[in-house]
Amino acid sequence: MAKAPKTQFVCNSCGYRSAKPLGRCPNCQAWNSFEEEAPSVVAPAGRGGYGGVSGGKLTPLSSVGRREEPRTSSGVPELDRVLGGGLVAGGVTLMGGEPGIGKSTLLLQVADKVAASGGPVLYVAGEESLEQIRLRADRLGVTAELQLTRDTRAEHIAALMQEHRPALCIVDSIQTVTVEGEGAPGGVAQVRDGTSMLTRAAKETGTSTVLVGHVTKDGTVAGPKVMEHIVDTTIFLESVGAFRLLRSVKNRFGQAGELGVFEMRGEGLIAVENPSAAFLAERPVDVPGSVVAATVDGQRPMLLEVQALASKTPYPNARRVVVGLDPRRVDVVLAVLERRLDLTLGGLDVYVNLAGGLKVPDPGLDLAVALAVYSAVVGRALPQNVAVFGEVGLAGEVRSTQMALRRAEEAGRAGYQRLVVPPGLEGHAGVKSVEEAVGAVWRGTEHSRAH
């Protein structure tokens, strides 16, 4: 006799499953977040098939046709970059971000651009009244006609998509969408089934759909993890000082890891077309400890400033303070400087900062850290037209980095004619060690850009 399926309890915050209800979720630490989930019944396998059902039709890969997914520009170039070229017909995008960071603002701007180009836009307002959306639209200068609704029932939203066939559907937010008979709004089953129903409707109607998702305290999208597997693209909007960074962490229609940069202003989110110039705008001139580094964040090359400061410590043990970089990699670079360059750091507090508020775990910043610390200790500023990148090994060697050519091109586009780089980069004489890098910076000619 077959055993009856067991009841499971699911955390409505992160989707963690347990055989019994728990007061606190061991995965996300949320209190009183477990809800009972009805067990699924699977028919037993019978003779000649699984549960008496025969297998489906098989299709050879060679007989499957090739089809390029049609794309439509969102009207915002930085968003198009992150999406891999624009909105895909029938594609579903999940956008996450902290409350008040600008998700609704950005999407309302996109809705205006798409509607102005002739495509009808359906905007599902689950968290705000229609009057609030009108006020934001007036502030942003939205002039296109948008179709608004406060009906958050998934079945009704899908029906509206079938009836009106909009070019773009924005659901703000997916946690407010309800499915009949699936429990309280925002629960695991509601979010999962609502996402599945809207995704199916988007595929059937060819509607580009954007779902806004809440985030948990650790910055991940709230709700079951299966929601991120259902959608085609997952992007996150995060705040860095006065800038907003839009990152793609999953993209079935393009390359994940793309980065878009925006600046928050009174008229909305404004795309920053040259992030390197924006992040280097306040860089001090002729100050020891300041180095321009060519780095890569995701798939986007940028120029950032690495700063270092060394001061005599009043404490028995010298302090090491690192902001925006990997502290362990900085410790390795400091050890290499002491061992290979005989640079005395034992009695000095060393502070290393990646200016601008970014956090970039890029090994290619090692050489910039080494030169910044050396510059701060000896009190010599680097020439203004020098940019550097490269990974530093324990033997003091300078190693190659990923996307080296794109880093060099970005530095050249920004006007930095002298590059201190690892060996092997075409068109550039490289440095093999940290000692050579130090000599290349202050001698000025041996390792300047080849012409």
Side-chain angles (χ1 to χ4, degrees):
M1 183 176 178
K3 294 183 179 179
K6 295 182 179 180
T7 299
Q8 286 191 325
F9 295 86
V10 183
C11 173
N12 59 23
S13 177
C14 68
Y16 180 84
R17 295 176 178 270
S18 173
K20 59 182 180 180
L22 303 175
R24 187 176 188 182
C25 177
N27 185 48
C28 68
Q29 310 302 319
W31 288 95
N32 303 319
S33 60
F34 279 86
E35 296 180 356
E36 184 176 352
E37 185 179 71
S40 58
V41 180
V42 180
R47 297 179 61 182
Y50 186 82
V53 179
S54 61
K57 179 183 177 182
L58 297 177
T59 303
L61 176 62
S62 58
S63 66
V64 178
R66 297 177 176 87
R67 184 185 68 181
E68 292 292 333
E69 297 294 339
R71 291 182 181 271
T72 305
S73 174
S74 66
V76 181
E78 290 295 296
L79 178 58
D80 288 344
R81 170 195 287 271
V82 175
L83 295 177
L87 298 167
V88 176
V92 181
T93 301
L94 176 64
M95 175 184 284
E98 296 288 339
I101 201 170
K103 302 185 295 298
S104 300
T105 297
L106 176 59
L107 291 179
L108 196 56
Q109 292 177 250
V110 172
D112 181 43
K113 301 288 186 181
V114 173
S117 64
V121 175
L122 171 62
Y123 195 107
V124 181
E127 299 186 347
E128 297 177 300
S129 67
L130 302 185
E131 290 76 15
Q132 288 176 307
I133 295 177
R134 177 59 188 269
L135 288 174
R136 181 184 292 116
D138 291 342
R139 176 172 60 84
L140 299 177
V142 174
T143 57
E145 193 66 59
L146 308 180
Q147 303 300 321
L148 310 180
T149 179
R150 292 219 64 207
D151 193 342
T152 57
R153 288 169 290 183
E155 299 87 349
H156 291 200
I157 299 173
L160 288 173
M161 294 169 67
Q162 292 282 359
E163 180 181 354
H164 298 282
R165 304 274 171 162
L168 174 64
C169 176
I170 297 173
V171 181
D172 189 4
S173 67
I174 186 60
Q175 276 78 14
T176 63
V177 173
T178 60
V179 179
E180 186 176 356
E182 293 290 349
V188 172
Q190 288 277 10
V191 173
R192 179 193 60 212
D193 294 345
T195 302
S196 298
M197 187 175 296
L198 296 180
T199 300
R200 185 165 59 251
K203 303 298 182 185
E204 293 173 354
T205 61
T207 300
S208 301
T209 304
V210 181
L211 310 177
V212 177
H214 296 165
V215 296
T216 61
K217 59 183 179 181
D218 60 353
T220 59
V221 176
K225 203 67 179 175
V226 69
M227 180 174 61
E228 296 184 47
H229 295 292
I230 295 173
V231 301
D232 300 308
T233 307
T234 303
I235 58 179
F236 282 92
L237 189 63
E238 58 187 67
S239 175
V240 176
F243 299 100
R244 300 291 187 268
L245 305 184
L246 186 64
R247 302 178 185 272
S248 66
V249 296
K250 171 191 174 182
N251 193 347
R252 289 175 179 162
F253 304 118
Q255 191 169 21
E258 287 290 353
L259 175 71
V261 183
F262 298 86
E263 184 178 2
M264 177 63 83
R265 298 181 185 172
E267 59 270 28
L269 286 175
I270 306 301
V272 178
E273 297 181 358
N274 189 354
S276 298
F279 284 112
L280 294 178
E282 300 180 12
R283 185 197 173 210
V285 179
D286 294 330
V287 175
S290 174
V291 176
V292 174
T295 185
V296 174
D297 193 340
Q299 299 294 326
R300 185 164 194 170
M302 291 189 298
L303 299 183
L304 300 175
E305 180 190 3
V306 176
Q307 298 177 326
L309 177 65
S311 61
K312 186 175 180 180
T313 180
Y315 307 105
N317 297 319
R319 302 178 63 191
R320 303 288 185 261
V321 180
V322 180
V323 180
L325 298 163
D326 186 350
R328 292 171 296 182
R329 297 201 68 88
V330 173
D331 286 339
V332 169
V333 172
L334 296 182
V336 169
L337 290 176
E338 286 194 294
R339 184 68 174 176
R340 306 299 176 188
L341 270 69
D342 294 327
L343 193 67
T344 303
L345 300 175
L348 299 176
D349 289 334
V350 178
Y351 305 86
V352 180
N353 174 45
L354 188 62
L358 286 174
K359 294 182 180 179
V360 183
D362 177 19
L365 292 172
D366 289 353
L367 186 57
V369 172
L371 292 176
V373 173
Y374 185 90
S375 170
V377 173
V378 302
R380 298 178 64 186
L382 274 75
Q384 295 183 35
N385 63 340
V386 174
V388 307
F389 64 87
E391 180 181 354
V392 175
L394 292 178
E397 77 278 15
V398 178
R399 296 172 172 264
S400 60
T401 61
Q402 62 173 349
M403 301 174 64
L405 183 58
R406 293 184 64 182
R407 296 174 193 247
E409 290 174 348
E410 178 67 15
R413 188 171 68 88
Y416 290 87
Q417 299 300 316
R418 292 180 54 202
L419 298 183
V420 181
V421 299
L425 181 60
E426 185 178 355
H428 300 269
V431 295
K432 297 181 180 179
S433 65
V434 177
E435 296 93 329
E436 284 190 35
V438 170
V441 169
W442 281 284
R443 280 199 300 268
T445 55
E446 298 97 305
H447 301 283
S448 62
R449 184 172 180 175
H451 294 281

